[in-house]
Amino acid sequence: MSTPTLYEWAGGEERFQNLFRSFYDKVLKDDLLGPVFRNMSPEHPRHVAHFVAEVFGGPKKYTQEDGGSHALMIGRHIGRMLDDQKRKHWIQLLLETADEIGVPTDPEFRSSLVGYLEWGTRIAVINSQLTENPMNDTEPMPSWGWGEVKGPYQPDKK
C-alpha cells in the first residue's frame, strides 16, 4: 500500500473547500480576526483552500487555475501588521472548525497539519511587518508531507 498524500488523507477537494468556507464564515464574525478579514474577496476561502490543498499534495489549482504562487501568498500578508495573538487565535479557530467538519483527528495527520499551520502562520506574521515582498515569483510552492512519522496512523488490527 502506498502512503496517501496529506490532501488525500484529509478528504480531498470537497473537504478543503468545506474547511475554509466554514472557517472564514467564523472569522468574519470573530471580534479579533473579523476586522483583519472584513474586506476579503468572496473568493478568498476558495483560494486558500486551493493553496493549502496544493501544499498538501493535491492538484495544482492555486498555481494553475487561480494564477497564484508562493510569492503571491506571501505578498498578501505584507504590511498587515499581524501579531502573535491573532496568529494563535487563527490557528485555534481553524482547528476547531476542522474538528467540527470531520477533518481526520489521528495524531499523525494532526501533527502534520499543526506543524504546517505553525510554520505558515509564523511566516505570515514575519512578512506582515514588512513593506516589500522578500520573495520572487520563481520561488517554488511549499510542499508539506507526513514529517517524521512517515505516514498516517494505522491502529493495530487485532
Side-chain angles (χ1 to χ4, degrees):
M1 178 176 114
S2 66
T3 302
T5 64
L6 294 172
Y7 170 82
E8 292 165 334
W9 191 257
E13 180 71 21
E14 185 176 331
R15 180 70 53 82
F16 280 89
Q17 290 298 328
N18 188 19
L19 172 61
F20 286 100
R21 189 174 39 253
S22 299
F23 168 68
Y24 280 109
D25 284 348
K26 289 180 181 183
V27 163
L28 290 174
K29 297 172 189 164
D30 187 83
D31 291 340
L32 182 61
L33 298 175
V36 176
F37 290 93
R38 73 173 157 244
N39 295 321
M40 76 176 177
S41 157
E43 297 299 311
H44 183 76
R46 184 175 61 83
H47 293 308
V48 175
H50 284 169
F51 181 87
V52 176
E54 186 170 332
V55 168
F56 278 23
K60 298 182 181 305
K61 290 186 175 186
Y62 183 73
T63 54
Q64 293 177 356
E65 291 180 17
D66 298 345
S69 67
H70 193 213
L72 182 64
M73 183 61 79
I74 294 292
R76 299 281 189 229
H77 298 92
I78 303 301
R80 299 224 182 249
M81 305 308 286
L82 304 174
D83 60 34
D84 205 47
Q85 180 185 15
K86 289 180 182 84
R87 182 191 74 77
K88 288 177 181 177
H89 189 58
W90 191 94
I91 291 173
Q92 177 188 9
L93 196 58
L94 183 62
L95 291 174
E96 287 172 3
T97 306
D99 288 342
E100 291 167 9
I101 69 155
V103 170
T105 60
D106 59 276
E108 286 76 8
F109 177 77
R110 285 301 175 101
S111 172
S112 294
L113 175 62
V114 170
Y116 173 71
L117 295 176
E118 280 287 330
W119 177 80
T121 59
R122 288 176 186 276
I123 288 174
V125 168
I126 291 167
N127 288 317
S128 77
Q129 310 304 309
L130 303 176
T131 56
E132 293 183 24
N133 193 336
M135 187 173 280
N136 64 54
D137 287 331
T138 61
E139 299 283 339
M141 283 285 287
S143 177
W144 211 259
W146 286 101
E148 291 302 313
V149 298
K150 306 291 188 233
Y153 176 68
Q154 298 289 330
D156 293 336
K157 296 180 180 178
K158 295 181 182 184

